[in-house]
């Protein structure tokens, strides 16, 4: 009797492990959930800034691609803590921010690839249209 209980528990544990490995943590089956089956072509890139210690506007450059071989998309000065861009997915984006700190110029550079997220819901592929990429352009303390 003990042997059959151990066998059943072992089989159940193995089934749980195998099923957890084959399903994404975002995979669900909820027929009441809204599922966007069309993939987004554009998503938001969010640039987050520190307050400039010198109280002057921050010089920002935003590139499609890398800074050294990409295309300059925008160049501006800002005192905002956040800026948004609606940009095509599956592209790399780079931003630079120049701060004036105690008379020295400090440049922050960040880059990432904007990708769309998907998950399975009842055998349908659903896309997250609210997803955004964040480029942290804040000064380190």
């Amino acid at each position: 009797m003990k042997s059959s209980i151990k066998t059943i528990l072992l089989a159940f544990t193995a089934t749980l492990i195998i099923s957890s490995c084959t399903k994404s943590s975002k995979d669900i089956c909820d027929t009441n959930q809204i599922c966007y089956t069309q993939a987004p072509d554009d998503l938001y890139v969010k640039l987050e800034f520190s307050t400039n210690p010198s109280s002057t506007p921050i010089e920002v450059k935003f590139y499609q691609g890398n800074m050294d071989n990409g295309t300059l998309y925008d160049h501006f000065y800002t005192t905002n803590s956040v800026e948004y861009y609606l940009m095509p997915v599956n592209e790399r984006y780079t931003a630079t921010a120049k701060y004036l700190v105690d008379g020295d110029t400090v440049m922050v550079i960040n880059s990432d690839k904007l990708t769309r997220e998907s998950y399975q819901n009842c055998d349908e592929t659903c896309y997250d249209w609210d997803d955004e990429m964040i480029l942290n352009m804040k000064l380190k303390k």
Side-chain angles (χ1 to χ4, degrees), residues 8 18 39 59 87 92 96:
I8 291 171
I18 291 169
E59 181 181 5
M87 302 300 292
R92 174 161 292 281
T96 65

Side-chain angles (χ1 to χ4, degrees), residues 23-43:
K23 279 190 129 182
S24 164
S25 62
K26 284 184 141 185
D27 292 347
I28 56 171
C29 188
D30 181 356
T31 56
N32 294 321
Q33 181 177 345
I34 296 172
C35 175
Y36 298 107
T37 56
Q38 183 178 352
D41 294 325
D42 304 307
L43 290 171

Side-chain angles (χ1 to χ4, degrees), residues 84-98:
Y84 287 94
Y85 290 92
L86 184 61
M87 302 300 292
V89 296
N90 296 326
E91 297 282 334
R92 174 161 292 281
Y93 297 98
T94 305
T96 65
K98 284 186 184 176

